[in-house]
Amino acid sequence: MTLPSAGPAAEQWDAAVAAIRALGGAAPIQLICHVSPDGDALGSMLGFALGLRRLGHTRVRATFPGEFSIPTPYSAMPGLDLLVPEADAYPEPDLVLVFDVAAESRLGGLAALVAAAPVSVVLDHHASNTGFGTIRLVDPRAAATSVLAEQLIERLGVPLDTEIAECFYVALATDTGSFKFDATTVAVHELAARLIATGLRPGDISRRIFDTRPFGAMKLAGEVLGRAVLEPAAAGGRGLVWTYATLADLARHDQPPYVLDTLIDPVRSVAEADVTVLVKQVSEGEWAVSLRSKGAVDVSRLAISQGGGGHRLAAGFTGYGEPGDVVDTVRRLLDDYLN
Ligand code: AMP
Ligand code: MN
Ligand code: MN
């Protein structure tokens, strides 16, 4: 068995600190996170952007590719004033920092900007990270990208304040499933403690990001969960549970796509299945596929084979055709994987 590689090497940390210290206060700095940003993507990026402002940098912009809409749970996050649509990114930044991006495909049209930048610092925690960027702060053992962002902030000598801490806390709470997943180590709780000590109210934050949704999103969830299929014999007898949601489902309940992001959680709680698949329509014939395992299957290997990525127990890829075609593909991948 290959052990997960250790965290970023000292030279990478030093290079990242030096790259930032080398910049004048008016140098344009562009921060980028992945398409359809989640709490970790936005939180690690905006927390770091605020840290750069505290260092005296005046030209700091944050962005992500694709439609410029912020999921409502994150619409009160500090630092949102630094966020701009993709079209308003600095065309020639002196430095690019990339957050929570496993593969360049998750950068959409901004991949060219990253490739052209004189220096690009990549902060990420996906084991499947494809290795782009000139300075790489990638640690597959980190519970969230915000763990790396917080370490870099500290190395730059920026003290945590409530705003930076709230961004990093949202990121950490989202990617650990509220401090439930395997990566929730002593160090994660120690970081959470440091963040809360700045004056955060974890109850308020959790209610806002996990426990608040429109009535229509709840009704939509009811339909999507109601059509779930359990296949106990699939995945070599370990069981597969799957369901899907279409754009028509979203339209019928007048809901934006992000409301589907957390729907995998009630599905993956099914006791009779190790593997969970949620197939979410992106456009005609194109689907964002979420995969989860309780431990028997490294779903990131399945996702990578389809051009996607992720973590051992949580991964995703883009699928094509009808939901049934996508699930056929997953069944086949599982058979190959388990044989
Ligand atoms: P999700 O199912 O969207 O919550 O994603 C689970 C994990 O897989 C996250 O760490 C994502 O960053 C990663 N992931 C999802 N879709 C893709 C994709 N198309 N390419 C690369 N990584 C992905
Ligand atoms: Mn993410
Ligand atoms: Mn993440």
Side-chain angles (χ1 to χ4, degrees):
M1 183 183 148
T2 324
L3 288 168
S5 63
E11 307 85 72
Q12 296 293 306
W13 285 115
D14 293 346
V17 169
I20 293 166
R21 291 230 171 104
L23 298 174
I29 306 177
Q30 184 64 53
L31 292 79
I32 303 173
C33 71
H34 65 71
V35 64
S36 309
D38 52 27
D40 187 29
L42 283 172
S44 59
M45 175 174 73
L46 294 178
F48 197 83
L50 289 169
L52 289 171
R53 293 303 296 268
R54 306 285 186 266
L55 271 177
H57 290 281
T58 54
R59 300 178 72 199
V60 177
R61 287 183 186 168
T63 193
F64 56 84
E67 195 195 320
F68 190 62
S69 71
I70 315 292
T72 308
Y74 309 127
S75 61
M77 206 179 301
L80 281 172
D81 52 314
L82 302 175
L83 196 65
V84 300
E86 165 178 25
D88 295 335
Y90 290 118
E92 292 186 344
D94 287 351
L95 174 67
V96 167
L97 296 128
V98 182
F99 296 83
D100 203 39
V101 174
E104 281 155 299
S105 58
R106 306 273 281 164
L107 286 168
L110 292 163
L113 202 147
V114 176
V119 186
S120 53
V121 182
V122 171
L123 296 91
D124 188 36
H125 66 130
H126 293 92
S128 65
N129 187 286
T130 51
F132 65 98
T134 58
I135 299 173
R136 297 179 40 74
L137 303 176
V138 179
D139 184 357
R141 294 168 317 173
T145 295
S146 67
V147 171
L148 294 144
E150 193 266 346
Q151 285 179 37
L152 187 54
I153 285 281
E154 197 195 332
R155 284 165 189 265
L156 287 163
V158 182
L160 288 174
D161 60 29
T162 318
E163 291 197 318
I164 297 174
E166 178 166 339
C167 291
F168 289 164
Y169 187 87
V170 167
L172 196 59
T174 335
D175 264 28
T176 56
S178 291
F179 305 96
K180 283 189 301 199
F181 299 157
D182 288 339
T184 312
T185 56
V186 169
V188 164
H189 279 291
E190 285 171 347
L191 171 56
R194 283 206 301 286
L195 299 172
I196 293 170
T198 64
L200 301 186
R201 298 174 63 91
D204 290 351
I205 296 174
S206 297
R207 224 173 345 269
R208 195 164 73 234
I209 62 176
F210 300 121
D211 298 337
T212 304
R213 60 176 165 178
F215 184 69
M218 190 269 289
K219 299 288 279 183
L220 167 63
E223 278 183 36
V224 174
L225 298 179
R227 66 169 78 116
V229 177
L230 175 66
E231 301 181 17
R238 291 170 181 84
L240 169 72
V241 60
W242 63 273
T243 187
Y244 66 93
T246 64
L247 292 175
D249 294 327
L250 287 169
R252 199 167 52 255
H253 293 281
D254 194 22
Q255 294 301 310
Y258 84 81
V259 304
L260 302 173
D261 288 355
T262 49
L263 253 192
I264 190 95
D265 291 322
V267 190
R268 73 181 169 80
S269 67
V270 168
E272 296 90 338
D274 181 87
V275 177
T276 304
V277 185
L278 176 60
V279 185
K280 298 168 281 188
Q281 189 171 27
V282 176
S283 60
E284 184 66 39
E286 187 184 338
W287 307 80
V289 187
S290 288
L291 301 174
R292 299 291 186 272
S293 167
K294 294 198 175 84
V297 177
D298 178 351
V299 287
S300 74
R301 274 179 49 190
L302 274 53
I304 290 167
S305 77
Q306 300 301 297
H311 312 282
R312 200 169 68 82
L313 303 181
F317 67 92
T318 302
Y320 302 94
E322 297 295 321
D325 302 328
V326 176
V327 178
D328 280 346
T329 302
V330 175
R331 267 190 226 100
R332 182 173 47 74
L333 291 169
L334 282 168
D335 287 344
D336 292 349
Y337 176 90
L338 293 163
N339 290 318

